Amino acid sequence: MSVIKITPVVLCGGAGSRLWPMSRDEKPKQFHALFNEKSLLANTIARTPEGSYSGVTFAAPIILGNASLREAFEIEANGFEAAPSRILLEPSVRDTAAAIAAITAFACKQDPNSILLVLPSDARIDDHEEYRRTITKAAGVVRTSNSIMTLGIRPSRPETQYGYIEQGEPLGEVFSVQKFREKPDLETAQDFLSSGNFLWNAGIFMFRAGRLADDFSKMQPEIWKHASASIENAREDGVFFYLNEVDFNAAPKLSMDYAIMEKAENIGVVPAHFDWDDLGSWSQLYESANKDEQGNAVFGDSIVVESQDNYIRSDGPLVAVAGIEGLTIVAEDNKVLVSSTQKSHLVKEVNAAFKNELRSKTSPNKDDLKRWLFDKALPFWASNGMDFEFGGAHEALSFNGTPAPHSKKRLRVTARQIYCYAHASMMGWQGDADKVLRHCLATLIDTGWHQEGGFIHLYNPDGTVQDQTRDTYDQCFVLLAMAWLWRSKKWPEAHKWGEKTLAFMDEHLADPEHGGFFENLEKASPRRANPHMHFLEAMLAWYDATENVEYLDRAEKIVSLFVNRFYDA
């Protein structure tokens, strides 16, 4: 028989609300590394590498997730073993039925006979070889019987946080599905476990695209109509495929189990013989984690004294515990969670309460913003953003924090870094602002200052001059930088270079007849308001730094120029 081609489809829309505060809207749990150095999403893709395996060929994966996560997907792409062929972006969360209907419509446009393997993005499966054998077995049944095949996990405990699949009649090595069961209470889960006839529903299933398209059109025509239209009217941007917002948002909001799986015929299940965990709660993470002799699973900077059987995770602050037992403690994103590990399912309610509190706030929290600035942004750009080899600051960074390719550096970017770190130093930032300021100041003087006076416009990534144009716009950025550097550090060279810049502008760029400044040394027209706005900004900064009224006089002349020349009443 011919090789079976399977396209993995990774659903990446879960919020992971039971793993708050680590898992949050802008970075849900599938983007976190929870059991090795890769994210859960990257691990999911690695389990079905592109290429042939024992009678099947895995195609490049398709990913589906929310449009708000585009940046997260771009960052994650660096760690993928197989680059996705497409990343479909939902404009909103309409539950799994609309999402899978859209994927099915997308696949049918290419080939209605294609076999799709739908995978959640956030499970742990260590035995990849047995996993692929199970997938291969299911694929053979799909091709010969046109069925929908699911994967079921043999339960190891009476779990109340998973759905279950009740096995029906044996069909060779697989079984028919008797019924899908919702998450049970503890007593029911114990009955399921003792009967031996129930499997955990792993959310993994496989089907021929045309078969599921028929099911949707018959059982859920509204979902199918709107999901199909969202594909037809989608917008492409490289690998990203934006589902049409109006069409997709009109689709009814239903789960795939309720919309199709509980109603469709010819559905089978393959009992899986590999360990599986959806890592959906802190208690599950604790169970799967490596522990010390006292049963503590510790991640990050922690001190543990006479404590046992705890899950402790910190991304930033030192967490110290003493004399405690059976707790989950997570410190991340300026938030701290303390919970009984056995009752960690309640974290979902904590997350809901937190979101309600956020919605009730009318303005950002100043302390949170300052912590982000001091603990995240300033240290990150002070290290990753500076080019300590060739001078100045990088124009841009890639999503993994390395310098993005760029053909030039703007002098005013380096000047702005001086403003930022001088201001931050005055606000009390304890990082090495002096290192950044000395570095940027040296670049301005050594590379930026033209031998005939004035600061140049552009220099090359290797530190050589690219564009010697000396215009008013760039000089004003330097003036502002020197004002803040003098105000913050009182370095004599800051005052010196501020005065030199102002003297150059007075001599070569000022318009004594009409006021203000020319655009550049060529005295080109038209003349813009924007450089004059920045000159006003710089003069006010110099007055704040020195209380010299001469700077206020200059500022007043620019205000007059604005009123008389730039403002259209």
Side-chain angles (χ1 to χ4, degrees):
M1 297 179 71
S2 60
V3 172
I4 303 173
K5 186 174 181 179
I6 299 172
T7 300
V9 176
V10 183
L11 299 183
C12 206
S17 55
R18 287 179 289 153
L19 290 177
W20 183 90
M22 180 199 67
S23 181
R24 46 199 186 270
D25 289 347
E26 69 273 18
K27 191 178 181 181
K29 70 171 181 175
Q30 55 266 30
F31 294 101
H32 292 269
L34 296 185
F35 61 88
N36 59 19
E37 72 283 356
K38 296 178 182 177
S39 70
L40 297 182
L41 174 58
N43 274 288
T44 301
I45 290 175
R47 287 195 284 271
T48 52
E50 189 174 359
S52 297
Y53 171 85
S54 187
V56 302
T57 296
F58 291 110
I62 297 171
I63 298 174
L64 184 138
N66 196 270
S68 65
L69 298 174
R70 171 170 175 156
E71 182 176 323
F73 285 124
E74 289 178 317
I75 295 171
E76 277 298 300
N78 296 307
F80 290 161
E81 293 188 13
S85 61
R86 277 287 188 276
I87 300 178
L88 276 59
L89 297 178
E90 306 169 286
S92 64
V93 177
R94 305 302 298 165
D95 217 325
T96 49
I100 293 169
I103 292 167
T104 303
F106 179 82
C108 282
K109 283 173 64 76
Q110 323 299 319
D111 178 10
N113 288 314
S114 60
I115 293 177
L116 303 183
L117 169 65
V118 174
L119 306 165
S121 59
D122 50 10
R124 176 175 183 171
I125 299 172
D126 293 328
D127 190 346
H128 293 186
E129 190 70 19
E130 180 60 31
Y131 169 77
R132 287 191 284 268
R133 277 198 292 268
T134 307
I135 294 299
T136 301
K137 186 187 301 182
V141 178
V142 169
R143 182 165 69 173
T144 57
S145 67
N146 198 31
S147 59
I148 299 174
M149 290 302 300
T150 64
L151 269 62
I153 310 299
R154 290 289 179 196
S156 58
R157 59 185 183 272
E159 180 61 61
T160 61
Q161 297 302 310
Y162 298 157
Y164 285 73
I165 300 171
E166 184 177 359
Q167 293 179 171
E169 294 295 320
L171 304 170
E173 294 185 85
V174 304
F175 294 83
S176 65
V177 171
Q178 180 72 23
K179 193 172 184 179
F180 289 93
R181 299 294 190 109
E182 296 294 329
K183 296 175 183 177
D185 58 28
L186 181 59
E187 183 179 353
T188 304
Q190 289 171 335
D191 291 341
F192 287 172
L193 182 64
S194 61
S195 79
N197 204 41
F198 289 83
L199 305 168
W200 285 338
N201 186 353
I204 302 172
F205 56 99
M206 186 186 301
F207 54 88
R208 187 178 62 84
R211 150 75 201 266
L212 198 63
D214 290 342
D215 284 347
F216 265 113
S217 63
K218 294 173 185 175
M219 300 179 197
Q220 300 294 340
E222 281 297 299
I223 293 178
W224 182 244
K225 179 179 74 172
H226 295 298
S228 299
S230 76
I231 294 294
E232 289 294 332
N233 300 317
R235 173 174 64 87
E236 293 189 60
D237 181 12
V239 71
F240 293 99
F241 197 84
Y242 286 84
L243 305 186
N244 182 269
E245 183 173 3
V246 174
D247 296 314
F248 191 78
N249 288 351
K253 195 173 183 179
L254 293 174
S255 71
M256 181 64 182
D257 284 352
Y258 181 80
I260 299 294
M261 302 295 276
E262 294 178 4
K263 301 176 175 65
E265 299 178 348
N266 193 15
I267 299 181
V269 59
V270 184
H273 298 285
F274 51 79
D275 290 335
W276 170 91
D277 200 325
D278 82 338
L279 302 177
S281 68
W282 291 117
S283 62
Q284 290 164 358
L285 279 178
Y286 173 75
E287 289 296 328
S288 64
N290 293 324
K291 304 173 186 67
D292 62 20
E293 293 179 356
Q294 287 71 45
N296 296 304
V298 180
F299 304 88
D301 201 3
S302 302
I303 296 173
V304 182
V305 177
E306 294 187 20
S307 299
Q308 62 185 21
D309 303 331
N310 300 293
Y311 186 96
I312 304 166
R313 188 182 193 96
S314 175
D315 180 20
L318 170 70
V319 173
V321 300
I324 64 170
E325 180 179 348
L327 293 184
T328 290
I329 301 172
V330 182
E332 185 155 343
D333 193 36
N334 294 321
K335 303 170 186 69
V336 178
L337 167 73
V338 180
S339 167
S340 162
T341 300
Q342 292 304 314
K343 294 187 177 181
S344 63
H345 59 277
L346 297 174
V347 173
K348 186 173 184 179
E349 297 178 27
V350 174
N351 184 41
F354 170 73
K355 289 183 177 180
N356 286 335
E357 181 181 344
L358 278 187
R359 281 191 286 269
S360 68
K361 290 183 177 180
T362 57
S363 61
N365 184 293
K366 181 179 178 181
D367 290 337
D368 286 345
L369 293 175
K370 188 173 181 179
R371 276 194 293 268
W372 170 82
L373 180 66
F374 277 23
D375 298 344
K376 301 289 186 181
L378 288 166
F380 178 81
W381 287 98
S383 56
N384 297 54
M386 296 299 123
D387 186 350
F388 291 110
E389 182 177 3
F390 295 113
H394 296 298
E395 280 288 305
L397 300 178
S398 301
F399 286 107
N400 64 0
T402 59
H406 49 274
S407 60
K408 63 181 181 297
K409 292 178 179 176
R410 293 169 294 169
L411 175 124
R412 63 176 177 267
V413 171
T414 298
R416 277 298 194 189
Q417 295 303 307
I418 292 177
Y419 157 74
C420 288
Y421 283 91
H423 197 164
S425 183
M426 289 185 64
M427 291 173 65
W429 183 57
Q430 296 300 305
D432 196 354
D434 285 11
K435 179 181 178 181
V436 175
L437 294 170
R438 289 289 184 194
H439 165 73
C440 290
L441 180 62
T443 302
L444 281 186
I445 296 170
D446 298 341
T447 301
W449 185 255
H450 194 280
Q451 60 183 359
E452 296 177 2
F455 286 94
I456 63 159
H457 182 51
L458 302 174
Y459 55 106
N460 292 306
D462 65 1
T464 57
V465 174
Q466 182 181 121
D467 184 345
Q468 299 186 55
T469 300
R470 286 156 286 163
D471 61 19
T472 296
Y473 196 74
D474 289 322
Q475 313 310 308
C476 294
F477 277 83
V478 175
L479 281 173
L480 180 73
M482 294 302 103
W484 277 91
L485 187 56
W486 171 253
R487 183 179 175 185
S488 174
K489 300 296 182 180
K490 290 297 186 288
W491 290 350
E493 53 265 59
H495 201 284
K496 169 189 171 183
W497 284 98
E499 288 297 306
K500 287 189 69 169
T501 306
L502 201 52
F504 170 78
M505 294 180 68
D506 285 345
E507 182 177 354
H508 298 284
L509 294 170
D511 182 352
E513 182 178 356
H514 300 105
F517 299 93
F518 293 105
E519 288 286 307
N520 48 44
L521 295 178
E522 284 70 43
K523 298 179 171 52
S525 292
R527 294 165 56 188
R528 296 174 297 162
N530 200 23
H532 294 86
M533 179 272 289
H534 285 293
F535 186 79
L536 172 62
E537 175 186 41
M539 291 304 97
L540 294 174
W542 270 108
Y543 175 73
D544 287 338
T546 65
E547 296 187 354
N548 186 337
V549 295
E550 291 182 7
Y551 295 115
L552 276 189
D553 291 341
R554 288 177 174 272
E556 286 180 355
K557 289 179 181 178
I558 297 299
V559 173
S560 176
L561 184 69
F562 165 76
V563 171
N564 295 318
R565 297 291 185 179
F566 289 120
Y567 178 63
D568 183 347

